[in-house]
C-alpha cells in the first residue's frame, strides 16, 4: 500500500464513526485506532475492495457531465498494459469507438491481471499512459467522449 493510499484510508477512518480499523494484504498490515464510542471494522479482502471500487465507478458514471466526457481511472496501483500481449494490437486507440463493457486495458497488480472495461459507450479521446508504465490508484488512464 502506497503512502497516498494509506493517507486516504486514514482520512476515511478519521471521518467515520469507527474506533478501530485493521487492514491487511499480502505486503502490508495497518491498524488504526481512536478513542470514543463507535464500532470496529476489519477491511474486506482485496477482491471485495475491487468490487467496491467498481460500484463507485458505476455511480460516478451516472453523475458525470456528458459535455466533458468520462475519464477512466486506475482502480489499483500496478503496471498499465495497452494490449493483451506484447505482440498483439492495443485494445483501443485514440479515435476508436468503444462499447460499454469492452476491455480497454489491463492493469497488473501483484501478478494479478485486472481487465479494465469501459463503463460507457463512446469514442476514445485520449490515452494518458504509455504501455508498461506504472500507474497509481485513481490515476487517469483513458478519456472517453460519450456519444
Amino acid at each position: 500500500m502506497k503512502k497516498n493510499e494509506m493517507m486516504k484510508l486514514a482520512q476515511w477512518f478519521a471521518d467515520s464513526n469507527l474506533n478501530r480499523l485493521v487492514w491487511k494484504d499480502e505486503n502490508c498490515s495497518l491498524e488504526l485506532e481512536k478513542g470514543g464510542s463507535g464500532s470496529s471494522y476489519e477491511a474486506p479482502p482485496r477482491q471485495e475492495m475491487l468490487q467496491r471500487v467498481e460500484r463507485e465507478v458505476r455511480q460516478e458514471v451516472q453523475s458525470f457531465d456528458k459535455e466533458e466526457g468520462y475519464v477512466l481511472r486506475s482502480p489499483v496501483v500496478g503496471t498499465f498494459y495497452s494490449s493483451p500481449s506484447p505482440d498483439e494490437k492495443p485494445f483501443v486507440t485514440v479515435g476508436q469507438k468503444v462499447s460499454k463493457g469492452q476491455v480497454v486495458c489491463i492493469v497488473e497488480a501483484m501478478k494479478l491481471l485486472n481487465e479494465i472495461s469501459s463503463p460507457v459507450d463512446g469514442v476514445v479521446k485520449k490515452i494518458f499512459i504509455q504501455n508498461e508504465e506504472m500507474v497509481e490508484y485513481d490515476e487517469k488512464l483513458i478519456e472517453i467522449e460519450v456519444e
Side-chain angles (χ1 to χ4, degrees):
M1 179 181 284
K2 299 276 186 185
K3 182 180 177 182
N4 65 339
E5 291 172 310
M6 282 191 228
M7 297 302 292
K8 286 180 183 178
L9 186 60
Q11 183 61 51
W12 173 85
F13 174 71
D15 294 339
S16 75
N17 66 346
L18 302 176
N19 63 12
R20 185 165 185 266
L21 172 74
V22 178
W23 168 272
K24 295 178 185 174
D25 68 15
E26 296 85 12
N27 300 318
C28 179
S29 176
L30 176 70
E31 291 187 35
L32 302 172
E33 196 164 339
K34 61 185 176 185
S37 61
S39 58
S40 182
Y41 175 75
E42 188 156 327
R46 187 171 192 277
Q47 185 62 30
E48 288 179 33
M49 292 291 285
L50 288 174
Q51 290 170 347
R52 182 185 57 78
V53 169
E54 286 177 14
R55 281 192 304 274
E56 290 174 2
V57 167
R58 276 190 233 112
Q59 290 171 352
E60 181 182 326
V61 167
Q62 294 170 355
S63 64
F64 80 97
D65 182 352
K66 289 188 178 186
E67 293 298 317
E68 295 178 12
Y70 178 78
V71 176
L72 186 61
R73 296 176 177 272
S74 179
V76 294
V77 174
T79 305
F80 174 85
Y81 292 105
S82 60
S83 63
S85 68
D87 56 339
E88 292 189 46
K89 293 180 182 178
F91 289 107
V92 295
T93 57
V94 174
Q96 179 180 341
K97 285 189 174 193
V98 293
S99 301
K100 182 177 180 178
Q102 178 181 341
V103 175
V104 294
C105 65
I106 293 174
V107 177
E108 177 186 11
M110 294 187 283
K111 307 230 183 228
L112 181 65
L113 299 176
N114 300 286
E115 290 185 337
I116 311 299
S117 301
S118 174
V120 295
D121 293 328
V123 176
V124 176
K125 190 173 181 180
K126 184 172 185 177
I127 300 174
F128 296 96
I129 306 296
Q130 297 295 317
N131 190 44
E132 298 185 9
E133 281 188 350
M134 291 296 298
V135 294
E136 295 292 327
Y137 169 76
D138 204 37
E139 187 171 347
K140 292 178 180 181
L141 299 176
I142 298 172
E143 183 176 353
I144 300 170
E145 186 176 311
V146 179
E147 295 184 322

